[in-house]
Amino acid sequence: MATGRFAPSPTGRMHLGNVFTALMSWLSARASGGKWILRIEDLDPQRSRLDYARIIEDDLCWLGLDWDEGGLDGRGVNGSYLQSLRHDFYREALSRLMESGMTYPCTCRRADIMASQAPHQSDGRVIYRGTCRPDCLPAPYDYSAHDEGRKAAVRIAVPEEDILFDDLVFGPQSVNLARECGDFILRRADGAWAYQLAVVVDDAAMGVEEVVRGCDLLLSAAQQTFLFRQLGLEPPRYAHLPLICNRDGVRLSKRDQSMSMEELRKRHTVEEVIGLLASLVGLIPEAAPCTAASLIPLFSWSKFHPAQERIIMP
Ligand code: GLU
């Protein structure tokens, strides 16, 4: 029995790729007899809108994906399920990490960091070279003595060792964070919480045991595993999914209007949408209409092997 969760960012209408994640996460939780939580990741105040969260809830209901906890109106023993209302939890975790002596303030600007990138790092990923890292770590940093005070970001120093975890789809993973991303940000210079910290704090507080999401977040799983361990917490198990791509082989985005829930709901029945997604990963032999609930007994992570990084829409 594993508690799962779906954690959409309410920055637009869901597309088929988001629905794929929601469906697989829901099926895995339900197949194991576990709970399914809906967490609204509205950390970015500029891009998040509550009306999108409402529409996401409506789309999930249409799809037949019910949640046991969370959503816009949810409140559990650990507070709200909206990240924008969970600052106290993030603050508390950050002070614990600061006390561990592995964090430090960073005043580097993005442009400076980009300028120090090796030319082959063209996938947009930024590897931090440790410009602001003090020589004396681990040692609790006296932030009050820092001139720029709150204008500095807070980074956590990552070890020169491989982080190991097993992914239910992609198998055993070994990631050297120093090489793959460098010391990463926990709180931005403008005070905003970093996704990595918020996700770890929330997954722990909400008792999440299984995280299902797109394989673009596989590196994040290593960062999060590291943070869980730094906080003395047990990481959940991870299942990273192939990314659904359009016919040009490009990952679906909000720009692929025809794959947005708005269009899908106009042109298809819910059973057609679910049947198509189930057939893409071989849960059913061909794209025959079916309900989400009818797939529960058919679900197994072994059907995802061998792991693919991309699924091109037929
Ligand atoms: N909020 C993220 C997104 O919508 C998902 C993060 C996660 O599942 O860990 O892409």
Side-chain angles (χ1 to χ4, degrees):
M1 193 144 92
T3 297
R5 50 76 157 174
F6 180 52
S9 305
T11 54
R13 191 93 186 237
M14 288 196 292
H15 55 65
L16 198 66
N18 308 126
V19 176
F20 180 57
T21 301
L23 175 64
M24 296 307 149
S25 163
W26 182 88
L27 282 175
S28 180
R30 295 300 185 228
S32 76
K35 277 194 302 196
W36 199 58
I37 294 174
L38 175 61
R39 180 169 74 233
I40 308 294
E41 299 211 322
D42 59 344
L43 269 189
D44 179 347
Q46 261 95 49
R47 294 174 60 230
S48 304
R49 281 176 30 195
L50 282 192
D51 46 335
Y52 282 133
R54 248 172 236 114
I55 296 171
I56 291 171
E57 288 193 345
D58 184 66
D59 285 338
L60 291 173
C61 291
W62 183 78
L63 290 158
L65 306 180
D66 58 334
W67 56 97
D68 306 287
E69 272 176 37
L72 280 170
D73 302 324
R75 269 198 81 77
V77 276
N78 283 302
S80 168
Y81 291 85
L82 266 74
Q83 287 192 323
S84 59
L85 299 178
R86 300 183 54 79
H87 296 264
D88 289 350
F89 294 93
Y90 310 142
R91 205 169 290 121
E92 193 267 334
L94 181 66
S95 33
R96 276 166 56 206
L97 291 168
M98 282 173 160
E99 278 159 25
S100 77
M102 294 303 284
T103 68
Y104 60 89
C106 170
T107 49
C108 293
R109 284 171 310 174
R110 193 176 161 83
D112 302 334
I113 297 169
M114 296 301 281
S116 67
Q117 292 292 293
H120 65 272
Q121 281 146 15
S122 54
D123 61 358
R125 192 148 45 94
V126 174
I127 300 172
Y128 184 63
R129 299 285 174 209
T131 315
C132 290
R133 189 202 257 217
D135 297 329
C136 57
L137 288 179
Y141 194 95
D142 181 5
Y143 286 81
S144 62
H146 195 260
D147 282 344
E148 302 267 347
R150 303 178 67 82
K151 290 221 196 71
V154 178
R155 284 187 188 269
I156 186 154
V158 299
E160 269 290 348
E161 65 193 43
D162 292 345
I163 304 289
L164 307 177
F165 64 96
D166 272 323
D167 188 83
L168 290 167
V169 177
F170 284 84
Q173 302 292 308
S174 163
V175 180
N176 184 305
L177 290 177
R179 238 184 358 248
E180 298 295 331
C181 64
D183 300 347
F184 60 91
I185 290 186
L186 301 176
R187 194 185 64 201
R188 288 187 344 205
D190 64 2
W193 300 105
Y195 155 74
Q196 307 294 0
L197 179 72
V199 164
V200 166
V201 170
D202 289 346
D203 282 338
M206 295 171 188
V208 171
E209 293 161 311
E210 183 180 280
V211 167
V212 179
R213 58 191 177 193
C215 67
D216 53 325
L217 290 172
L218 206 46
L219 172 62
S220 290
Q223 292 168 274
Q224 291 164 21
T225 298
F226 166 65
L227 278 186
F228 271 106
R229 292 186 184 145
Q230 287 296 117
L231 286 163
L233 300 163
E234 189 60 35
R237 53 188 216 191
Y238 291 101
H240 287 85
L241 299 172
L243 302 178
I244 308 270
C245 297
N246 63 24
R247 289 188 184 92
D248 301 325
V250 179
R251 179 187 176 196
L252 290 187
S253 73
K254 308 235 148 87
R255 281 187 296 275
D256 293 287
Q257 291 298 332
S258 65
M259 296 292 160
S260 86
M261 275 303 275
E262 187 172 354
E263 284 303 309
L264 293 169
R265 281 179 72 163
K266 271 189 214 150
R267 296 205 194 136
H268 299 280
T269 63
V270 56
E271 291 83 5
E272 283 169 353
V273 175
I274 301 281
L276 168 69
L277 289 172
S279 70
L280 291 178
V281 286
L283 292 185
I284 53 175
E286 56 192 47
C290 63
T291 62
S294 71
L295 296 170
I296 297 173
L298 304 178
F299 184 83
S300 155
W301 286 116
S302 63
K303 300 201 172 145
F304 285 71
H305 301 146
Q308 290 169 268
E309 287 197 6
R310 297 186 309 164
I311 295 177
I312 314 272
M313 281 300 295

